[in-house]
């Protein structure tokens, strides 16, 4: 896949996940959509992880951490 198309898919799933989490209050679906967004690397997917700039690594790792936190938050709210 080409990088510009990946960026559109990444942004689309990112916006969908944020909408589901904050407006629909469905945190599990929001976390799933945000997790799917990571599959569409918005940066150059051909570039190896070790060759990426540190800011790109930081963005992707923080995104992954937020997805994990949202999953935990969704599980915690549904725990009874």
């Amino acid at each position: 896949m080409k990088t510009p198309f990946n960026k559109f898919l990444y942004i689309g799933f990112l916006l969908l996940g944020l909408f589901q989490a904050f407006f629909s209050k469905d945190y599990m679906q929001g976390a799933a959509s945000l997790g799917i967004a990571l599959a569409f690397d918005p940066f150059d997917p051909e570039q190896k992880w070790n060759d990426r700039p540190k800011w790109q690594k930081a963005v992707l790792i923080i995104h992954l951490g937020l997805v994990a936190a949202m999953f935990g938050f969704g599980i915690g709210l549904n725990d009874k």
Side-chain angles (χ1 to χ4, degrees):
M1 294 177 87
K2 298 199 181 233
T3 303
F5 189 65
N6 279 1
K7 287 181 185 178
F8 289 128
L9 288 172
Y10 178 80
I11 291 171
F13 276 106
L14 187 69
L15 293 175
L16 177 64
L18 293 175
F19 174 80
Q20 289 170 332
F22 295 118
F23 294 109
S24 299
K25 303 292 185 208
D26 189 357
Y27 298 106
M28 294 300 287
Q29 282 293 336
S33 294
L34 289 175
I36 292 170
L38 282 172
F40 303 104
D41 188 358
F43 309 113
D44 185 12
E46 307 268 326
Q47 190 176 22
K48 293 183 181 179
W49 179 256
N50 292 333
D51 297 337
R52 290 179 187 246
K54 289 184 182 184
W55 70 271
Q56 286 182 3
K57 291 179 186 179
V59 166
L60 294 172
I61 290 172
I62 290 170
H63 184 147
L64 182 62
L66 290 174
V67 170
M70 192 177 292
F71 266 124
F73 188 68
I75 290 171
L77 285 178
N78 291 329
D79 189 24
K80 294 185 183 192

